[in-house]
Amino acid sequence: MARVPYVDESALPTEHQDLLVSALQGKELNIYRAIGNNPDALYGLRTFLGALWRDSGLDPEQRELVILAVTCEIDSAYEFHQHVAIARDVGVSDSDILALAGGDFDHFDRGDRRLIEYAVAVVRGTVDDDYHDALAASYGPETIVGVASLAGGYLLVGRLLAALDVETETPFVGWRLEGEE
């Protein structure tokens, strides 16, 4: 059970009521219902994460690989669960998802592996010149900033979800995708 109540739209100011609904899924999500206890924080977080999600400089598949790598690194079941479906929708294979969950970055081609390793280094706080130079060999400053921002943003979300103990809306898909029918 979450450590804060899940609010419904009637608890929010009119201008924030639509923030409980996922633009992708078209339904209210527990993450937003929990953060909705502070409507201004919900607005700020949705705005911030939306910008990172849209404007990271990555294509949708790369974006989801980075997000899934971060969720695995920080053990954020909620975000992993949400992004498995999103990743699949943009073309990420189950074998890629399972490789990320198992920490097998060698599964990926050089470009994607560099993005994933850099994102994990951001989360760990271990980005050094070697990580930066490896990523900069394939990507420009806009993408480097986008990857670092995306990784940092989802690190923040994962820690927030853990602090509030937000649970998935449906049974957890499982780190090995074993929870699926």
Side-chain angles (χ1 to χ4, degrees), residues 48-49 52 66-67 70-71 73-76 79 119-125 148-162:
F48 170 69
L49 290 175
L52 294 181
V66 166
I67 292 170
V70 169
T71 66
E73 181 64 23
I74 64 171
D75 200 31
S76 179
E79 282 302 303
V120 170
V122 168
V123 169
R124 293 178 180 168
S149 299
L150 192 62
Y154 277 85
L155 171 62
L156 169 130
V157 169
R159 296 295 187 244
L160 178 58
L161 289 163

Side-chain angles (χ1 to χ4, degrees):
M1 185 64 138
R3 293 185 177 112
V4 295
Y6 293 131
V7 301
D8 62 27
E9 68 179 30
S10 66
L12 298 177
T14 305
E15 67 272 15
H16 293 328
Q17 289 178 353
D18 63 327
L19 296 176
L20 298 179
V21 177
S22 164
L24 294 175
Q25 297 176 16
K27 65 178 184 176
E28 291 185 2
L29 296 181
N30 289 346
I31 181 175
Y32 304 141
R33 293 177 64 218
I35 299 167
N37 283 282
N38 183 325
D40 291 330
L42 175 61
Y43 173 79
L45 191 66
R46 291 288 310 262
T47 302
F48 170 69
L49 290 175
L52 294 181
W53 200 77
R54 283 186 315 275
D55 304 323
S56 65
L58 301 174
D59 67 40
E61 188 173 343
Q62 292 170 324
R63 179 196 66 226
E64 292 307 315
L65 291 174
V66 166
I67 292 170
L68 286 171
V70 169
T71 66
C72 291
E73 181 64 23
I74 64 171
D75 200 31
S76 179
Y78 186 94
E79 282 302 303
F80 181 80
H81 181 79
Q82 294 294 335
H83 282 273
V84 162
I86 297 167
R88 286 172 168 162
D89 285 346
V90 299
V92 176
S93 69
D94 282 359
S95 66
D96 288 347
I97 294 167
L98 291 168
L100 288 170
D104 178 13
F105 302 156
D106 290 337
H107 168 85
F108 298 93
D109 69 34
R110 185 176 178 174
D112 287 345
R113 185 171 57 248
R114 285 183 173 164
L115 291 170
I116 292 163
E117 290 172 343
Y118 188 85
V120 170
V122 168
V123 169
R124 293 178 180 168
T126 59
V127 174
D128 57 17
D129 288 342
D130 291 337
Y131 278 113
H132 174 82
D133 293 347
L135 191 61
S138 301
Y139 299 96
E142 180 180 358
T143 301
I144 293 169
V145 170
V147 173
S149 299
L150 192 62
Y154 277 85
L155 171 62
L156 169 130
V157 169
R159 296 295 187 244
L160 178 58
L161 289 163
L164 301 178
D165 200 19
V166 176
E167 56 231 336
T168 58
E169 293 78 14
T170 58
F172 177 49
V173 67
W175 295 107
R176 306 299 305 161
L177 306 181
E178 69 274 2
E180 298 186 304
E181 298 174 14

